[in-house]
Amino acid sequence: MVSSPLRATHRRLIATAIAAMTCVLPQLITAQSLTHAASATAFDAKGLARIDSTMQRLVADQRIPGAVVLLVRDGKVAYNKAFGFRDLGTKAPQQTTDIFRMASQTKAITSLAAMMLWEEGRFQLDDPVSLYLPEFKSMKVLTKFNAADSSFEARPTQRRITIRQLFTHTSGLDYPSIGSEEFRAIYAKAGVPSGIGTDGALLADKIRVLATLPLKHEPGERFTYGLSVDVLGRLVEVLSGMPLDQYFRTRIFVPLKMNDTWFALPADKQSRLVALHQEKDGQLTASHTVNGGVDPDYPNRAVKYFSGGAGLSGSIADYARFLQLFLNGGELDGVRLLSRKTVELMLTSQIGALQPSYGLGFALETPQNDFVTPLTVGSFSWGGAFATTYWADPKEHLVALVYTNVYGSTAKLGDVFKTLVYSAMK
């Protein structure tokens, strides 16, 4: 890990950072939430102290550079703290208002955008996506792959990809960078990006290329985490007539007051972007190339490729507002984006016996998988590639998030955090 003198210095700096951490959270769920909920009414004080000590230990042991934690109960902030450093290189202390790369947390926002169009009658969930993106009309399934040159053979599919299958990752599309070996090679050869930090390309162009490539399996056959939601983002563009960033801004972010969430951060917000770190051989380092050679400073650059699956960065408070919208049945602070029944549909499992149980945009806690984590049945969750984690628990009226930015983290921060939160609840 690090030498003893460096570790001693690191611990002294941690003490300074902890002393400087703030619990101030501007404008979260409602005007009333400016006054934080009394922790005594929502959580056990000793349990919250365990969150403090665990986060401090993870920072001291260099498992994470720093983290921001936010708990909202009954629409009010019950706990909000920052720990450690926003940048191990400069030792700048973490702040609760910092901006993080959210990566796959973008997917749920794209799903909301698509369901807003569904409510307008623009498509049906079981429509073939080829009705709106005709390049997907004649898809094929991989039958043979040659690792020597990434060539392949494929047969025509028996079924067409539906829009519902894009929401639920059952379309047969795989992922570049983190997908299977065969499809990492196939996508790389064709120039299909992962969506994070993509330069010099447009979503429309790359989605057309993707449609010429084979699927991993028949649509609807099984869950394969992949580029399905990037295709869904392109569908939003086609049906709305707007680039995805513009649709997000005008239809979601401005109405919900998610002022810190962007594909490309405005100049006055760029200094709040946390450094991206990487864990390699058990050691945290500043990350200069991640996820297929991506520049970690991509949120501070101009962006034209709007990845509906991975492209956004934002503050933890913004995403809490997004999740509270769903706990409130589609409405927040007098602004309604979805009907109550549409929210119920999104939070209902869509893929039968397939696992993980998945709705229209979120993983779900169901009676079938409830033995795995302490989350209550009905909770919905996901996270991002750089170790951000969130969930919302309707029964407990709880929104919980923990953010750090580490690529390749082995700290299992999200799993630890779930245990800490539920053991602290009254």
Side-chain angles (χ1 to χ4, degrees), residues 1-2 7 61-63 278-285 406-410:
M1 293 286 288
V2 295
R7 184 175 292 280
D61 291 344
Q62 284 207 328
R63 301 306 310 283
Q278 183 169 4
E279 181 179 332
K280 190 173 183 179
D281 300 325
Q283 185 172 0
L284 289 180
T285 61
V406 179
Y407 183 63
S409 175
T410 61

Side-chain angles (χ1 to χ4, degrees), residues 317-338:
D318 271 12
Y319 213 85
R321 291 187 65 82
F322 171 74
L323 295 173
Q324 191 69 39
L325 175 84
F326 286 88
L327 286 189
N328 292 359
E331 181 272 338
L332 181 65
D333 291 351
V335 175
R336 179 165 292 281
L337 297 188
L338 289 177

Side-chain angles (χ1 to χ4, degrees), residues 112-124:
L112 167 63
M115 289 305 291
M116 291 169 69
L117 293 168
W118 176 81
E119 282 198 335
E120 295 172 4
R122 306 300 294 275
F123 66 90
Q124 294 298 303

Side-chain angles (χ1 to χ4, degrees), residues 93-347:
Q94 191 85 73
Q95 303 290 334
T96 57
T97 55
D98 283 342
I99 292 174
F100 293 78
R101 300 155 192 81
M102 298 191 305
S104 287
Q105 290 190 198
T106 306
K107 290 179 170 67
I109 295 174
T110 302
S111 298
L112 167 63
M115 289 305 291
M116 291 169 69
L117 293 168
W118 176 81
E119 282 198 335
E120 295 172 4
R122 306 300 294 275
F123 66 90
Q124 294 298 303
L125 286 169
D126 293 317
D127 283 346
V129 69
S130 58
L131 290 180
Y132 312 97
L133 302 178
E135 56 264 38
F136 285 90
K137 186 175 181 179
S138 300
M139 299 300 294
K140 295 183 178 181
V141 177
L142 182 71
T143 57
K144 185 176 181 180
F145 173 73
N146 184 349
D149 60 3
S150 300
S151 61
F152 58 85
E153 297 178 11
R155 62 164 176 81
T157 60
Q158 298 174 9
R159 299 185 291 271
R160 291 187 289 178
I161 297 172
T162 69
I163 296 173
R164 192 188 304 267
Q165 291 163 352
L166 296 177
F167 279 95
T168 59
H169 297 281
T170 57
S171 67
L173 294 167
D174 206 329
Y175 236 140
S177 300
I178 62 171
S180 62
E181 182 178 353
E182 293 88 348
F183 278 88
R184 290 200 307 269
I186 290 170
Y187 291 160
K189 184 176 181 179
V192 173
S194 65
I196 297 176
T198 299
D199 283 331
L202 295 176
L203 180 65
D205 295 338
K206 293 302 182 181
I207 293 303
R208 279 192 286 270
V209 173
L210 179 66
T212 68
L213 303 175
L215 300 177
K216 186 174 183 178
H217 53 75
E218 282 284 343
E221 186 176 88
R222 59 183 187 268
F223 181 99
T224 296
Y225 194 54
L227 288 171
S228 292
V229 182
D230 285 77
V231 178
L232 191 65
R234 176 57 187 155
L235 179 68
V236 170
E237 291 188 330
V238 169
L239 294 179
S240 69
M242 300 181 191
L244 195 59
D245 67 329
Q246 184 180 343
Y247 188 92
F248 281 0
R249 179 71 32 207
T250 58
R251 298 292 305 276
I252 298 174
F253 297 158
V254 170
L256 293 186
K257 299 183 175 68
M258 294 175 64
N259 300 321
D260 290 331
T261 304
W262 299 79
F263 282 103
L265 294 173
D268 62 350
K269 297 181 185 293
Q270 292 180 4
S271 64
R272 292 166 52 197
L273 179 69
V274 304
L276 181 56
H277 300 82
Q278 183 169 4
E279 181 179 332
K280 190 173 183 179
D281 300 325
Q283 185 172 0
L284 289 180
T285 61
S287 181
H288 300 290
T289 56
V290 298
N291 205 29
V294 172
D295 180 349
D297 290 329
Y298 67 86
N300 284 344
R301 299 201 312 266
V303 175
K304 294 183 179 180
Y305 188 96
F306 305 117
S307 167
L312 290 172
S313 299
S315 66
I316 202 169
D318 271 12
Y319 213 85
R321 291 187 65 82
F322 171 74
L323 295 173
Q324 191 69 39
L325 175 84
F326 286 88
L327 286 189
N328 292 359
E331 181 272 338
L332 181 65
D333 291 351
V335 175
R336 179 165 292 281
L337 297 188
L338 289 177
S339 74
R340 174 177 59 86
K341 296 302 292 183
T342 298
V343 170
E344 290 176 4
L345 176 64
M346 293 181 71
L347 302 182

